[in-house]
């Protein structure tokens, strides 16, 4: 079937004009069969995360923040559907289940509880978009992604059961497209085999859209953003970066893995595996071309700069001056895997091993403690990982002049450096 997948992030549906704009993009593009994957509106996921935190800290009443989220959504649905009480009620009903959870004190584990509460953001936003498409006269149906996207029960970082998910998505969407043109569903969330809600990791809605594109062998996937496409640097950090018109899957996966925030790094593999073109376009300028990511390999790219903030360096040294040999390395990697720490750069010397990792305080602390029994470990946080693809000396110089380089690796077309800004030189942290 000639089918496409669109993904709209929180910024695109943050208010009533946003929902209207998204719906007009869908309406004007007239795709024969369209799956629309939606994130929670605006900053809803952060707010719901705060609700969970307040529930566990027991210092603040979690209902205060939850009521703010509910009120924002109530105002949104009332302004979008002033005459459709059923729609307003249906959207607001989605909050009831988490209210029950917040009233109870069942001693549920944090990650499990987090997924049950935070996921409601996507449930309500996708319902809102579906109702609005219906008010425009479009034939859209709402799909609960938890009926089709099966995961394991690693809450907050669930792994997809690809075989079953592919079977379910294909079967369900084939039936829905017999009577509808548009299927609206949620990004970010899935379901375990026990029917509990899971989430795929923050910013995971891009990945959800890519899963749908893969399972339905879509003709194209379009991710609608508030930027013109994939840029040569983050526009929040650099003035006037230029837009890349086209880039390869390989280039895109390298950029996003090392911190380019434009799309989630897990988005690339599913579309690459089926050669599905991935477009990154602006919902503010929907007619503009954006960036096309596909198999195309360019002869020459401009320098592409990616910063990953919140990095820390772990220096792991043997205690008795023995070499860092195979047994040590396998032990270190075993602990990294166990604590799910994300490694961005690494290097060994005769008696030490240096790692730059994402500074997730809980995971890094567990790794630090796990290694400290056997090695001397030190940790330095507050660092940045700077990656320059297709670098030239001028770009390196301009980016490193106000930074101290702590760790560097140069390959023919990529240079990576763990750096700290000069004005915030910090003493080593103890974990
Ligand atoms: N709403 C989720 C988040 O903010 C997922 C996403 O937007 O991709 O992380």
């Amino acid at each position: 079937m000639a089918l496409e997948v669109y993904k709209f992030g929180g910024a695109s549906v943050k208010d009533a004009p946003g929902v209207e704009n998204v719906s007009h993009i869908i309406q004007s593009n007239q795709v024969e069969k369209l799956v629309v994957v939606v994130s929670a509106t605006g900053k809803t996921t952060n707010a719901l995360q705060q609700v969970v935190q307040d529930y566990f800290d027991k210092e603040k009443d979690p209902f205060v923040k939850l009521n703010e989220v509910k009120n924002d959504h109530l105002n949104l649905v009332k302004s979008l559907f002033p005459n459709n009480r059923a729609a307003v009620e249906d959207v607001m009903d989605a909050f009831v289940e988490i209210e029950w959870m917040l009233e109870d004190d069942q001693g549920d584990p944090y990650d499990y509880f987090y997924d049950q509460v935070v996921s409601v953001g996507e449930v309500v936003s996708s319902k809102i978009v579906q109702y609005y498409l219906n008010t425009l006269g479009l034939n859209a149906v709402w799909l609960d992604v938890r009926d089709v996207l099966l995961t394991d029960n690693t809450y907050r970082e669930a792994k997809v059961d690809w075989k079953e998910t592919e079977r379910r998505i294909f079967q369900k969407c084939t039936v829905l497209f017999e009577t509808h043109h548009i299927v609206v569903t949620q990004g970010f969330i899935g379901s375990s085999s026990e029917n509990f809600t899971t989430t795929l990791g923050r910013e995971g809605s891009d990945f959800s859209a890519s899963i749908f594109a893969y399972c339905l062998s879509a003709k194209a996937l379009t991710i609608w953003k508030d930027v013109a496409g994939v840029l040569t640097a983050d526009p929040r950090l650099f003035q006037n970066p230029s837009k890349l018109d086209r880039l390869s899957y390989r280039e895109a996966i390298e950029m996003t893995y090392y911190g380019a925030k434009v799309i989630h790094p897990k988005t690339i593999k599913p579309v690459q595996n089926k050669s599905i073109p991935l477009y990154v376009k602006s919902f503010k300028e929907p007619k503009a071309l954006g960036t096309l990511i596909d198999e195309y390999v360019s002869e020459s790219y401009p320098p592409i700069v990616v910063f990953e903030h919140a990095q820390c360096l772990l220096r792991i040294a043997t205690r008795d001056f023995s070499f860092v040999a195979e047994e040590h390395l396998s032990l270190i990697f075993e602990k990294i895997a166990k604590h799910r720490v994300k490694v961005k750069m690494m290097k060994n010397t005769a008696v030490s091993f240096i790692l730059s990792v994402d500074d997730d305080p809980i995971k890094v602390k567990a790794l630090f403690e796990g290694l400290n029994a056997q090695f001397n470990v030190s940790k330095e946080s507050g660092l940045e990982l700077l990656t320059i693809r297709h670098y030239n000396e001028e770009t390196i110089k301009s980016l490193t002049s106000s930074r101290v380089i702590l760790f560097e690796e140069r390959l023919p077309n990529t240079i990576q450096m763990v750096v700290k800004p000069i004005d915030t030189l910090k003493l080593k942290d103890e974990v």
Side-chain angles (χ1 to χ4, degrees):
M1 45 183 154
L3 178 153
E4 293 190 35
V5 180
Y6 283 0
K7 183 259 166 172
F8 291 99
S12 65
V13 288
K14 70 178 196 304
D15 50 20
V19 175
E20 286 159 15
N21 178 48
V22 158
S23 305
H24 288 122
I25 291 174
I26 294 168
Q27 187 176 37
S28 60
N29 280 352
Q30 296 189 347
V31 176
E32 198 190 325
K33 288 174 181 147
L34 182 66
V35 175
V36 178
V37 175
V38 190
S39 297
T41 61
K43 301 268 177 258
T44 299
T45 306
N46 289 351
L48 291 169
Q49 198 165 297
Q50 190 59 51
V51 171
V52 176
Q53 202 56 48
D54 292 343
Y55 174 84
F56 276 87
D57 290 348
K58 299 197 188 321
E59 274 165 27
K60 277 194 221 148
D61 178 0
F63 280 95
V64 173
K65 195 79 198 168
L66 180 66
N67 288 337
E68 274 177 34
V69 175
K70 280 183 64 183
N71 267 335
D72 289 348
H73 283 83
L74 186 61
N75 291 337
L76 178 61
V77 286
K78 276 187 173 166
S79 68
L80 286 169
F81 318 114
N83 304 318
N84 187 346
R85 258 188 62 190
V88 174
E89 271 170 26
D90 183 39
V91 172
M92 296 313 289
D93 271 357
F95 288 101
V96 172
E97 217 168 298
I98 65 170
E99 286 175 328
W100 290 340
M101 287 191 74
L102 292 171
E103 267 156 21
D104 269 7
D105 196 356
Q106 302 254 6
D108 288 323
Y110 184 93
D111 289 354
Y112 162 83
F113 196 86
Y114 176 104
D115 282 1
Q116 312 317 303
V117 172
V118 166
S119 52
V120 80
E122 269 68 15
V123 174
V124 289
S125 62
S126 56
K127 283 188 180 230
I128 293 170
V129 170
Q130 179 252 324
Y131 278 118
Y132 196 78
L133 291 171
N134 289 161
T135 61
L136 293 182
L138 297 174
N139 188 3
V141 62
W142 186 79
L143 166 66
D144 190 331
V145 78
R146 293 167 294 189
D147 291 340
V148 290
L149 205 159
L150 184 71
T151 70
D152 68 3
N153 56 8
T154 318
Y155 294 104
R156 298 185 67 187
E157 226 182 307
K159 305 276 165 308
V160 176
D161 176 336
W162 277 96
K163 219 167 149 214
E164 186 55 17
T165 298
E166 189 174 6
R167 193 186 67 78
R168 291 186 189 184
I169 287 183
F170 186 81
Q171 228 172 44
K172 186 82 189 179
C173 288
T174 306
V175 173
L176 292 176
F177 280 123
E178 278 168 16
T179 46
H180 298 85
H181 292 306
I182 303 168
V183 173
V184 184
T185 194
Q186 308 84 57
F188 183 48
I189 68 180
S191 166
S192 69
S193 54
E194 302 95 5
N195 282 330
F196 292 122
T197 304
T198 54
T199 64
L200 306 174
R202 288 301 307 266
E203 311 300 330
S205 294
D206 293 348
F207 181 38
S208 307
S210 183
I211 294 169
F212 271 89
Y214 176 93
C215 296
L216 296 167
S217 299
K219 199 176 121 218
L221 164 61
T222 306
I223 296 192
W224 296 90
K225 303 275 310 177
D226 55 0
V227 286
V230 179
L231 308 178
T232 51
D234 187 335
R236 289 166 301 185
L237 304 175
F238 293 88
Q239 270 180 358
N240 305 324
S242 41
K243 178 177 76 76
L244 295 152
D245 293 338
R246 196 168 182 186
L247 72 162
S248 65
Y249 294 121
R250 174 70 198 270
E251 197 59 44
I253 204 164
E254 294 291 344
M255 285 174 71
T256 53
Y257 181 77
Y258 286 111
K261 297 281 177 277
V262 61
I263 29 179
H264 191 286
K266 286 190 180 168
T267 314
I268 313 296
K269 180 180 185 293
V271 286
Q272 188 278 344
N273 286 180
K274 284 207 178 168
S275 301
I276 298 168
L278 166 58
Y279 294 91
V280 179
K281 291 190 179 190
S282 166
F283 61 76
K284 294 176 176 166
E285 269 187 278
K287 294 266 171 280
L289 283 180
T291 299
L292 165 60
I293 302 168
D294 63 1
E295 261 141 13
Y296 160 88
V297 181
S298 162
E299 298 281 290
S300 64
Y301 283 107
I304 300 174
V305 179
V306 182
F307 269 103
E308 177 80 289
H309 298 282
Q311 286 289 292
C312 69
L313 268 190
L314 292 177
R315 296 188 180 85
I316 305 160
T318 54
R319 290 222 158 122
D320 57 359
F321 223 59
S322 58
F323 295 137
V324 172
E326 293 85 330
E327 314 84 69
H328 293 129
L329 290 174
S330 80
L331 186 86
I332 295 169
F333 282 115
E334 190 191 298
K335 302 259 185 239
I336 290 169
K338 179 171 168 206
H339 300 298
R340 295 189 278 138
V341 170
K342 300 271 177 295
V343 178
K344 290 290 160 63
M345 265 175 87
M346 57 186 145
K347 173 140 193 75
N348 63 323
T349 71
V351 292
S352 74
F353 192 65
I354 304 171
L355 294 167
S356 180
V357 303
D358 288 354
D359 199 0
D360 177 317
I362 295 169
K363 292 179 183 172
V364 173
K365 185 166 189 274
L367 175 64
F368 186 98
E369 282 164 4
L371 292 168
N372 210 26
Q374 201 148 348
F375 302 94
N376 288 326
V377 190
S378 72
K379 178 194 167 213
E380 188 169 359
S381 14
L383 307 178
E384 295 167 339
L385 173 67
L386 167 59
T387 303
I388 314 173
R389 304 268 300 157
H390 317 288
Y391 58 88
N392 54 36
E393 292 310 318
E394 199 192 319
T395 318
I396 297 175
K397 213 169 132 207
S398 79
L399 288 170
T400 53
S401 59
S402 60
R403 297 184 164 88
V404 179
I405 303 170
L406 300 174
F407 182 16
E408 174 179 330
E409 194 158 69
R410 217 179 253 248
L411 294 168
N413 60 10
T414 307
I415 183 165
Q416 291 196 288
M417 289 166 270
V418 177
V419 294
K420 73 172 142 189
I422 279 174
D423 54 351
T424 58
L425 287 179
K426 283 190 193 137
L427 294 173
K428 281 183 191 173
D429 288 349
E430 289 306 323
V431 180

